Amino acid sequence: MTQEALTRLTTGSIVLSGLALIAGWQAIRSRRITVHRRLMLTATGLAGLFLVAYVYRWSLYGSKPFAGDGAWRTFYLSVLLPHILLASAVGPLALRLIYLALRRKDFATHRRLGRVTVPIWIFVAASGWLLYWLLYVKTF
């Protein structure tokens, strides 16, 4: 696969993951549990696909350097740092949520942890979209 194709795959999978996440959150707010479950598992699967494709792309092609400077560079780094830190936390949190949900026993803990995890995951997805834009779309 070319670098461009891998970039499209990672971008598409994380965008779709974020959309499934938001739709899943809306579904549970409407008490549509089966829809919620399917959407959250879809969001997780797409995020997993993103991670595998991203690591594969990085191992083949390395990182893309940021082309901006000055205030743009400061802005980029101020988004990148929390993105990296929170992205490393989302995986274990999401796996714990899935475990709790599939056990079908401790929904109180699932709900509490979900209220923390979903905003973090949405931030990670949205900041990832912004970082993509800054790296691949915005011209400096």
Side-chain angles (χ1 to χ4, degrees):
M1 251 184 154
T2 66
Q3 184 175 6
E4 184 178 324
L6 284 168
T7 300
R8 275 189 261 120
L9 176 63
T10 57
T11 303
S13 61
I14 204 61
V15 166
L16 292 173
S17 174
L19 294 173
L21 175 72
I22 292 167
W25 178 73
Q26 287 293 327
I28 200 61
R29 306 237 343 131
S30 304
R31 302 206 184 274
R32 296 177 309 171
I33 295 167
T34 302
V35 173
H36 167 74
R37 182 181 303 118
R38 288 180 183 153
L39 285 166
M40 297 313 263
L41 290 173
T42 298
T44 303
L46 288 165
L49 174 63
F50 162 81
L51 182 60
V52 169
Y54 178 84
V55 169
Y56 180 67
R57 186 186 76 200
W58 178 83
S59 70
L60 291 177
Y61 303 107
S63 297
K64 179 173 174 60
F66 181 67
D69 58 5
W72 278 111
R73 183 164 190 75
T74 302
F75 176 69
Y76 171 78
L77 294 173
S78 70
V79 173
L80 181 63
L81 181 62
H83 173 80
I84 291 171
L85 294 173
L86 293 172
S88 66
V90 165
L93 289 168
L95 291 175
R96 177 73 177 151
L97 280 169
I98 292 168
Y99 171 78
L100 289 169
L102 293 178
R103 268 192 26 203
R104 297 179 184 223
K105 290 188 180 182
D106 194 359
F107 281 109
T109 301
H110 175 82
R111 186 177 305 123
R112 272 194 313 276
L113 187 58
R115 287 181 178 157
V116 172
T117 303
V118 169
I120 293 171
W121 194 347
I122 290 171
F123 172 81
V124 168
S127 62
W129 303 337
L130 177 59
L131 291 167
Y132 171 84
W133 182 79
L134 289 168
L135 285 170
Y136 294 97
V137 177
K138 173 84 172 110
T139 55
F140 293 95

